[in-house]
Amino acid sequence: MARKFLYLIAGLTVAVLALILALWYWSEDLTEMAFVPSVSFAQQQALPPESWNNPAMWVARPGLKDDPSSWLPPGVKAPDTKLPVAVFFVHPTSYIARDAWNAALDDKVSRDRANLFVQGMASPFNQGEVWAPRYRQAAVGTFLTARPEAAQAIDLAYADVLASFEIFTRNLRPGQPIALAGHSQGAFLLRRLMRDRIAGTPLAERLVGAWVIGWPVSLAHDLPKMGVPACVRADQSGCVVSWLSVADPADTAMLLKAYARRTGLDAQSVAGSAFLCSNPLTGVPNSAAQADANLGTLVPDFKARTGTMAAGVVPAACGPDHFLHIGPPPKLDLGAYVLPGNNYHLYDVTLFWANLRADFERRTQAWLATQKK
């Protein structure tokens, strides 16, 4: 499984590097021209929730053969007993073409990338039962423009996520706790799902935690609508964790512009609003920790076609700009996927892989303890 994982990484190199080079060297207008879809938005039929009864509609789910979320880095042992929690994970954007506003469900390239992302980013949660749906995700260029087609593409992607979540909930055991997790586009959509399916419902009482990583969660315009508070203690359950990683010196202008293009869950502009910064090394917001608190960064080794854990290398501190700063670029061979402005977006999860795994287990145990009282 590990070897298959790295083969997929190698296959991504050319396309992803093209995107990164464009962002580094081209003006914003040229970048938009290069990656924003050049076609009209294609109206597509809504899929009923029952479509996700088909195992082929999931990247990961219990009982799925070759489930990428079950992967573990060398040296990390699977637990003897799984946690009784079901995890709904929404993968980040894996479709970077511009010939459509949404990826087709049978698009091989984006499917392979989704497998890769689930393997690297959902695996910290595999002490539980991971469910990660395939969905007609919005193209990466959707988040580089304010054109009306972008909103339509996001709505289509969200409809699929919402439908798949219905099947996820139908498969829960009575009273079974749940966790929510997503990165980038996945986190963006997860915010909305929490407003529409968690807030004010019995599921909020069963929520171990929500890891909404790689997209800003506005403290004023998102969090009040999500149904649960931000996590303010490391042993708190039923709360939201979120961060966006940058190295120093950081230039976050492009990130903030993308953030400002979208409205919050209250339909108001989020431009200029503060967003949640949870420190994955401490489990609490607006805090700092030295590198020795980092239990392990997942480092891909392309030549050996494997990945290794490196503990005690990457520090983290929430800055006054609400970003999670990791200090100077780490002295690790992480590959060529750092975005402009020292933006470590693609590494939001893997920089803190082992701490995220421990955080998930700790918050799950905290939730289980509340059920014994």
Side-chain angles (χ1 to χ4, degrees):
M1 179 69 78
R3 179 168 294 182
K4 182 178 179 182
F5 171 44
L6 272 299
Y7 281 133
L8 287 175
I9 291 178
L12 297 180
T13 302
V14 174
V16 175
L17 283 180
L19 171 61
I20 292 170
L21 288 172
L23 291 170
W24 270 109
Y25 295 114
W26 295 357
S27 70
E28 189 170 339
D29 288 343
L30 286 176
T31 299
E32 182 173 334
M33 289 173 61
F35 293 102
V36 173
S38 57
V39 296
S40 300
F41 176 78
Q43 296 288 344
Q44 298 186 49
Q45 183 177 4
L47 296 176
E50 289 72 23
S51 299
W52 279 266
N53 281 328
N54 182 352
M57 292 290 282
W58 297 87
V59 186
R61 60 169 289 170
L64 189 67
K65 184 180 179 181
D66 295 327
D67 184 336
S69 73
S70 65
W71 178 81
L72 287 172
V76 178
K77 294 182 179 180
D80 293 333
T81 304
K82 278 186 173 278
L83 297 170
V85 59
V87 183
F88 186 76
F89 180 88
V90 187
H91 70 74
T93 309
S94 62
Y95 183 65
I96 63 174
R98 61 191 297 261
D99 57 353
W101 283 93
N102 294 84
L105 288 167
D106 61 356
D107 179 74
K108 184 179 186 306
V109 174
S110 63
R111 286 173 65 90
D112 286 348
R113 290 187 189 129
N115 290 351
L116 166 66
F117 292 148
V118 166
Q119 180 147 356
M121 298 182 189
S123 52
F125 300 96
N126 66 18
Q127 302 118 303
E129 304 168 356
V130 178
W131 297 69
R134 297 199 182 276
Y135 65 103
R136 290 172 290 185
Q137 61 184 284
V140 69
T142 298
F143 299 93
L144 300 174
T145 182
R147 288 170 55 181
E149 294 94 330
Q152 292 175 291
I154 289 169
D155 285 347
L156 177 62
Y158 178 63
D160 280 3
V161 170
L162 202 61
S164 66
F165 185 72
E166 172 65 23
I167 297 304
F168 168 76
T169 59
R170 290 181 192 177
N171 280 274
L172 295 173
R173 298 184 295 274
Q176 184 178 15
I178 66 169
L180 304 175
H183 181 257
S184 193
Q185 177 172 177
F188 179 81
L189 299 174
L190 201 58
R191 295 157 45 259
R192 193 166 161 185
L193 183 143
M194 292 184 70
R195 180 194 65 189
D196 296 344
R197 292 295 183 268
I198 301 297
T201 76
L203 284 176
E205 299 300 318
R206 295 164 63 179
L207 184 68
V208 163
W211 286 263
V212 186
I213 303 167
W215 189 272
V217 174
S218 170
L219 297 176
H221 302 290
D222 291 331
L223 195 59
K225 297 289 185 179
M226 292 167 70
V228 295
C231 296
V232 296
R233 300 191 321 273
D235 62 351
Q236 180 181 356
S237 63
C239 54
V240 179
V241 169
S242 180
W243 69 82
L244 292 86
S245 310
V246 295
D248 296 315
D251 180 355
T252 60
M254 187 177 292
L255 281 167
L256 292 173
K257 187 165 185 178
Y259 173 50
R261 283 191 186 105
R262 307 298 162 205
T263 57
L265 295 178
D266 61 358
Q268 302 300 309
S269 172
V270 298
S273 68
F275 46 90
L276 178 61
C277 179
S278 311
N279 190 327
L281 301 187
T282 65
V284 299
N286 306 323
S287 59
Q290 298 300 314
D292 59 5
N294 193 318
L295 301 176
T297 295
L298 177 58
V299 182
D301 182 340
F302 298 106
K303 287 186 178 180
R305 289 178 167 80
T306 186
T308 57
M309 298 300 294
V313 179
V314 181
C318 290
D321 57 359
H322 314 295
F323 286 92
L324 184 71
H325 291 256
I326 62 171
K331 295 180 180 180
L332 293 171
D333 184 9
L334 297 175
Y337 303 111
V338 179
L339 297 174
N342 272 332
N343 177 3
Y344 276 69
H345 179 68
L346 294 175
Y347 303 95
D348 281 323
V349 171
T350 54
L351 284 169
F352 311 104
W353 190 96
N355 289 81
L356 177 55
R357 187 172 179 82
D359 190 56
F360 169 61
E361 181 175 5
R362 185 174 57 246
R363 296 190 193 281
T364 299
Q365 296 294 356
W367 185 91
L368 293 172
T370 66
Q371 305 307 298
K372 297 176 182 178
K373 295 178 180 179

